[in-house]
Amino acid sequence: MSETDSHAVAAPREIELKLDCAGPDLTALAAHPRLQGAESSEPELLVTSYYDTPNQDLRAAGLTLRVRARGDRYIQTVKAGSGGVGLFDRAEWETEIAGESPDPAAWAETAAEKVLRKADAPLEKLFSTVITRRVIPVEQGASRILVTLDEGRVESQAGDAPFCELELELAGGEPADLFALAQALAETVPLRLSATAKSARGYALVDGTGPSVVKAEPIELPKGARAGDVFRLVALACLRHLRLNETAFLASHAPEALHQMRVSLRRLRSALSLFAPMLEADPRAVSFSDEIKRVTEPFGHARNLDVFLGHTLPNLAKERPDDADLTAVRELAEAERAEAYDAVLAILESPQWRGLIIDFAGWVEVGAWAAQDAAAEDGPAFAARVLDHARERLKKRGRGLKKLDPHTRHRARIAAKKLRYGAEFFAELYTKKKARRRQDKFGAALSDLQDHLGTLNDLETARSMIESLGGPPVPGPDDESTRDLLTAAAEARAELLDVKPFWR
């Protein structure tokens, strides 16, 4: 957007909020009271071609290059950043060119120039988008926002894929007004926070992946990052992880997508806890954590049933192939899982859930916490204090691990998980070779401890589930295999505490 007639333009910032919707929702959106009375544009057909090298060097550098046809005009655009969630705040370079093929003179002095010069490879068209667009200018607070309704499809040699999205672009004013308008529109139309740019949709089509399950990605932190910078990037990474897997789960109901959603939520709540010293002056931090925990409680039950049916029960069946009780237990568990999945889907389809995610994203971007002095603290200094505290908590909670009752042992497991997430969140603040070596040792020791504690927790969950379903007993806490796991967990804890912290 923000296309211009000028040549050799600079790199203005494009600040917009993207929201996903379904095709019929656009009709309802166009009739929304907030969008009435504005001087909207006539629907316009836009055909846009996206280019990259055969090795996709631009994609690897986080860049996109496109040529958009508007009537008899062609606008070439280079954008920095193709992924994200919440606010898409990106640099873009736009130039009108003579024809439909990319013009090297138009990407000179842009972020793409160095990448393409180094690649020294021809550009090829990978995919196109064909969109019907309508733009409606809206006043929200003291801001002017361009509401863009896009419906169309991505086309590639691998096939086509339809999409529908709403973009709220800040033409002038404050980013907070983007979220305020989004919430107003979402009250009557089902809108979801988007984590996918149009270019990402196209690359997914070329890859043949579609909505897919993704694991948490490493969090890139800028040099000299302050505590507030780190929190914002961590929270947005967790939100992106959540939204990508939510999309995959809604499309496929895949158990692994549900698992990754739970991981993203645990990471998110861990971030709110780890950054609590910085967030304590903003009461919304605690309320968000509590609300996310309350709303997503059914996710845990559904995941426990997945583990039980996919792992625990098959192992029991191998040990007891002729046990008729296990067949009855499986049928009961499958019926209960179907109900649990229905509960998860009901949450994900609810306006309360969609509104919570949009609200949380807005708070991360423009919340009161960001104006506190604590947010300006040096990132590594803040991280070291937080990680020291998390390590000490694990040390205390895991004391006498072999003799702890399941509830207390679970608390030690949570402490280990929180320490691991913290180590991952802050890893890029410590990039020297010695710190990297210590990170590897620390991560390996912590992973061993988590594996043992996780297996013990799965056994306790299985015992509880078998009992509730009326099945045969499973090994108890005095079973030899359980004692071996406890011994291994205690040894892993001792080994972890012997590793020198990488943040010191």
Side-chain angles (χ1 to χ4, degrees):
M1 299 190 11
S2 303
E3 284 153 1
T4 176
D5 292 329
S6 62
H7 294 261
V9 296
R13 306 300 299 184
E14 175 192 50
I15 301 176
E16 62 185 9
L17 180 62
K18 289 180 176 288
L19 300 151
D20 292 334
C21 57
D25 299 331
L26 283 186
T27 302
L29 271 173
H32 195 284
R34 287 292 289 110
L35 305 184
Q36 302 307 301
E39 187 177 333
S40 64
S41 65
E42 290 297 320
E44 181 180 16
L45 180 67
L46 301 176
V47 180
T48 308
S49 299
Y50 289 78
Y51 295 83
D52 207 336
T53 64
N55 291 329
Q56 298 186 8
D57 295 284
L58 289 172
R59 180 188 189 182
L63 300 170
T64 58
L65 189 156
R66 74 185 192 197
V67 176
R68 172 167 291 166
R70 305 190 69 168
D72 59 357
R73 299 172 59 210
Y74 297 93
I75 306 295
Q76 179 172 300
T77 305
V78 173
K79 288 194 178 188
S82 57
V85 72
L87 288 181
F88 281 65
D89 183 356
R90 302 176 291 183
E92 64 172 9
W93 296 262
E94 293 187 334
T95 310
E96 184 171 346
I97 60 176
E100 60 183 10
S101 298
D103 182 352
W107 72 63
E109 300 182 7
T110 74
E113 181 180 25
K114 182 178 179 181
V115 175
L116 293 176
R117 185 171 63 248
K118 182 178 179 181
D120 192 24
L123 289 174
E124 57 184 22
K125 184 169 76 171
L126 296 185
F127 53 89
S128 299
T129 59
V130 180
I131 300 167
T132 300
R133 166 170 291 180
R134 184 180 175 190
V135 180
I136 306 171
V138 172
E139 302 295 325
Q140 175 72 35
S143 300
R144 185 171 184 269
I145 297 172
L146 300 180
V147 178
T148 301
L149 312 179
D150 279 349
E151 184 174 16
R153 64 187 184 276
V154 183
E155 299 179 345
S156 76
Q157 291 185 347
D160 298 355
F163 70 90
C164 175
E165 68 180 23
L166 169 69
E167 293 181 358
L168 307 181
E169 182 177 359
L170 191 65
E174 298 298 326
D177 289 327
L178 293 175
F179 290 96
L181 179 58
Q183 287 288 26
L185 297 175
E187 287 177 0
T188 56
V189 179
L191 299 173
R192 295 184 191 274
L193 190 71
S194 179
T196 310
K198 292 183 181 67
S199 58
R201 297 180 192 275
Y203 279 115
L205 190 62
V206 171
D207 294 342
T209 55
S212 57
V213 177
V214 297
K215 294 185 176 181
E217 300 173 339
I219 299 171
E220 296 183 7
L221 301 176
K223 187 176 181 180
R226 299 294 175 179
D229 301 325
V230 179
F231 172 70
R232 178 178 173 277
L233 291 170
V234 165
L236 291 177
C238 294
L239 270 180
R240 176 173 167 77
H241 186 203
L242 170 65
R243 280 292 297 118
L244 290 173
N245 286 292
E246 179 185 356
T247 299
F249 181 76
L250 288 170
S252 66
H253 298 181
E256 183 59 21
L258 175 62
H259 172 55
Q260 288 300 324
M261 283 179 62
R262 287 198 70 223
V263 171
S264 68
L265 289 164
R266 285 200 302 264
R267 286 167 62 88
L268 189 56
R269 293 188 65 243
S270 292
L272 289 169
S273 176
L274 290 165
F275 284 87
M278 187 194 77
L279 302 171
E280 60 186 0
D282 189 337
R284 298 199 74 193
V286 174
S287 65
F288 273 123
S289 181
D290 291 345
E291 181 66 4
I292 290 170
K293 180 181 180 181
R294 183 190 68 79
V295 171
T296 60
E297 196 71 34
F299 292 21
H301 183 52
R303 175 58 185 170
N304 286 341
L305 285 160
D306 280 337
V307 174
F308 181 72
L309 284 164
H311 178 72
T312 307
L313 206 55
N315 286 341
L316 285 174
K318 289 179 183 178
E319 297 171 4
R320 311 172 190 181
D322 300 321
D323 194 332
D325 288 341
L326 290 180
T327 300
V329 166
R330 179 181 293 105
E331 291 175 353
L332 289 171
E334 287 175 346
E336 190 168 330
R337 179 170 65 174
E339 292 181 1
Y341 267 52
D342 285 344
V344 171
L345 288 167
I347 290 169
L348 297 181
E349 296 290 0
S350 69
Q352 291 79 12
W353 167 260
R354 294 190 296 265
L356 174 62
I357 299 305
I358 294 172
D359 198 22
F360 182 78
W363 176 75
V364 170
E365 296 279 16
V366 295
W369 66 269
Q372 307 298 321
D373 291 341
E377 183 180 352
D378 174 70
F382 177 84
R385 192 167 67 255
V386 167
L387 291 171
D388 276 338
H389 179 73
R391 181 177 180 275
E392 186 62 26
R393 174 170 289 190
L394 173 59
K395 182 178 179 181
K396 290 181 178 179
R397 289 188 174 179
R399 194 170 287 139
L401 186 59
K402 289 193 289 185
K403 297 182 180 180
L404 296 180
D405 62 86
H407 175 73
T408 308
R409 191 168 65 234
H410 179 66
R411 285 166 54 85
R413 175 173 170 264
I414 296 302
K417 195 177 293 289
K418 191 174 293 185
L419 177 59
R420 179 177 179 178
Y421 290 153
E424 292 173 353
F425 293 158
F426 296 118
E428 290 303 307
L429 294 175
Y430 307 94
T431 57
K432 292 183 178 180
K433 288 184 178 180
K434 181 187 288 187
R436 290 296 196 196
R437 288 196 299 270
R438 289 184 178 179
Q439 280 182 26
D440 292 340
K441 291 181 180 179
F442 189 84
L446 189 49
S447 180
D448 284 345
L449 175 58
Q450 277 194 280
D451 286 345
H452 297 315
L453 291 176
T455 302
L456 287 163
N457 184 70
D458 288 344
L459 284 173
E460 289 302 319
T461 302
R463 290 188 190 104
S464 174
M465 198 160 288
I466 283 280
E467 183 179 347
S468 70
L469 295 170
V474 297
D478 295 327
D479 178 81
E480 182 179 356
S481 61
T482 302
R483 292 198 301 272
D484 289 344
L485 278 171
L486 286 167
T487 298
E491 291 174 351
R493 172 183 172 274
E495 182 180 344
L496 172 66
L497 294 176
D498 283 340
V499 176
K500 292 183 178 179
F502 64 84
W503 56 89
R504 293 181 187 166

